[in-house]
Amino acid sequence: MNDIPGKYTKIVERYKENGRVPVIIDLSNIAYRSSFVFTPDKFVTSQGVYNGHLFGICQNIKTLLKLNYEVYLCRDLRSTFRQYLVESYKSNREHADGSVSIHDILNKTINPLISTLKNVHTISSTGYEADDVMFSLSKICDRNETPCYILSTDKDLCQALSEYTTIAHKFIAAGPQEIVTPSSEYYEKNFGDTPPKFLPLYRAFKGDASDNLEAPIKRFPKDLIQEFIEECKINFPDGNINLAEMILKHNITKKSHEKWLNELKDKNSFTKLFNNFKVMRLIEIPVYEEDEALVDNAFNIITEKYELWSFRKFVREYNRGV
């Protein structure tokens, strides 16, 4: 690690120096998504070793570098505090190949290889998920008026959207695709007019099946959620919401809401809402850029075991040309 906690500015400095817009990526999420596109029935080595998840990462990196972006790969070092709040958090996730952890594979293959590649950087923070690292990088960009993209389909990351931070669901040779902003059709369809800073509250009521988080109360009325959000805009404009105060001080506007409000005051329902809110809310943390020391065996691992010869060739040709 080579950066002082809370003082990471290289993402801004590089943009000022070379004009390459940062693209911030969740490394393990790309690997996980790739495993469903580049499936084991088609992506295996001559020795029967699955390599589709690594192939997907390599393809994304190649595309972004060819488009002249600066790439920031955020490593997922697991969230200890989220699993403390909800023991079952993400317990429904399967390993990409059914037996081997994506994290273990990335540590042994892609991470060492990235250290040899120019304009690609690995960022992490011990005890935090990649989402928090990505959110923190985006806020550094915001404060320094630096444009950036987040490459992700994770709805939680919509909290990071701002004047300077845009989400793209994918990148192809023509550039970013399926772009998400607070005024985009995708955002309005999923969150209405809820501002990004209040999305953790909105989503806490809804739950998230992909993360194994249940809604605290099923079929909770949307209009009551919106009432809470409107009140929070006035009472908690910075997004630091006191949930107990929010619920206890709420004045119902519809007789039908009384039942739902009373149910929300139940200890079990409130605890679920509180935990969902804490789990889903992304936080700013000190981030670190991992040392870019050359790893001697990186090419051997990526080629001899996983047979990704084309990426090895790309790295060498790219480094010579930059």
Side-chain angles (χ1 to χ4, degrees):
M1 306 297 183
N2 55 14
D3 286 286
I4 302 171
K7 300 293 184 181
Y8 184 81
T9 57
K10 288 182 180 177
I11 192 168
V12 175
E13 292 165 2
R14 290 189 181 109
Y15 173 72
K16 290 180 178 178
E17 290 171 2
N18 60 28
R20 299 168 71 101
V21 172
V23 177
I24 305 167
I25 302 173
D26 180 343
L27 186 57
S28 59
N29 177 261
I30 295 295
Y32 185 78
R33 286 165 52 192
S34 295
S35 69
F36 295 97
V37 178
F38 307 110
T39 52
D41 58 324
K42 296 180 180 178
F43 285 81
V44 291
T45 69
S46 59
Q47 301 301 313
V49 177
Y50 173 63
N51 63 3
H53 38 26
L54 301 181
F55 179 80
I57 291 175
C58 293
Q59 290 299 102
N60 273 279
I61 293 172
K62 287 167 66 174
T63 297
L64 292 170
L65 291 179
K66 288 178 180 178
L67 291 169
N68 292 318
Y69 289 106
E70 196 82 10
V71 182
Y72 293 84
L73 297 166
C74 299
R75 283 220 295 146
D76 195 345
L77 300 185
R78 304 304 178 93
S79 171
T80 52
F81 78 89
R82 286 187 173 92
Q83 289 180 327
Y84 174 79
L85 285 169
V86 181
E87 188 176 351
S88 60
Y89 176 59
K90 290 189 177 180
S91 62
N92 55 331
R93 300 282 182 94
E94 298 179 357
H95 294 320
D97 63 355
S99 61
V100 182
S101 167
I102 282 177
H103 300 275
D104 292 340
I105 293 172
L106 295 178
N107 288 340
K108 294 175 182 176
T109 56
I110 290 294
N111 289 336
L113 186 56
I114 286 166
S115 70
T116 72
L117 187 56
K118 295 177 181 178
N119 303 116
V120 181
H121 318 279
T122 307
I123 314 293
S124 64
S125 189
T126 302
Y128 293 95
E129 291 187 334
D131 288 357
D132 295 310
V133 176
M134 297 167 77
F135 182 76
S136 299
L137 288 177
S138 74
K139 292 305 160 190
I140 292 170
C141 288
D142 287 350
R143 284 193 289 271
N144 290 277
E145 300 181 352
T146 299
C148 71
Y149 282 102
I150 289 176
L151 172 55
S152 179
T153 57
D154 189 340
K155 291 178 181 176
D156 284 337
L157 280 162
C158 288
Q159 295 170 51
L161 290 171
S162 70
E163 179 183 356
Y164 296 99
T165 299
T166 303
I167 290 175
H169 285 173
K170 61 182 178 180
F171 282 78
I172 61 174
Q177 304 293 304
E178 299 174 24
I179 291 173
V180 181
T181 67
S183 60
S184 65
E185 182 179 348
Y186 173 90
Y187 188 95
E188 292 177 359
K189 178 181 178 181
N190 283 281
F191 312 120
D193 59 356
T194 304
K197 72 172 74 172
F198 294 113
L199 283 184
L201 176 62
Y202 181 91
R203 287 177 52 70
F205 277 105
K206 297 290 186 179
D208 187 348
S210 66
D211 286 342
N212 215 28
L213 297 173
E214 294 182 355
I217 301 173
K218 293 182 179 179
R219 296 182 296 278
F220 197 84
K222 277 187 177 181
D223 57 345
L224 183 51
I225 297 174
Q226 286 304 135
E227 282 188 15
F228 282 130
I229 290 171
E230 290 304 314
E231 289 181 2
C232 286
K233 289 179 185 178
I234 298 170
N235 299 324
F236 310 105
D238 59 357
N240 293 315
I241 300 169
N242 183 318
L243 292 177
E245 183 180 334
M246 177 193 80
I247 293 167
L248 291 173
K249 290 188 174 182
H250 180 71
N251 294 314
I252 58 173
T253 58
K254 293 182 180 180
K255 185 65 176 175
S256 59
H257 285 172
E258 185 174 0
K259 165 200 167 186
W260 297 103
L261 192 62
N262 288 334
E263 193 169 346
L264 195 57
K265 292 176 183 178
D266 174 78
K267 182 179 179 181
N268 289 334
S269 298
F270 179 78
T271 300
K272 283 185 178 179
L273 179 69
F274 176 84
N275 289 344
N276 278 4
F277 178 74
K278 290 294 184 180
V279 168
M280 291 177 169
R281 187 181 182 190
L282 302 181
I283 56 177
E284 287 193 64
I285 55 173
V287 296
Y288 303 86
E289 185 164 307
E290 300 187 5
D291 293 330
E292 299 180 3
L294 181 65
V295 180
D296 292 336
N297 68 342
F299 282 125
N300 293 335
I301 295 172
I302 202 73
T303 55
E304 292 180 7
K305 182 173 182 179
Y306 292 100
E307 299 180 3
L308 296 172
W309 302 99
S310 63
F311 190 65
R312 169 178 173 163
K313 179 181 178 183
F314 170 79
V315 171
R316 288 181 166 168
E317 291 179 350
Y318 180 83
N319 282 344
R320 284 198 298 266
V322 174

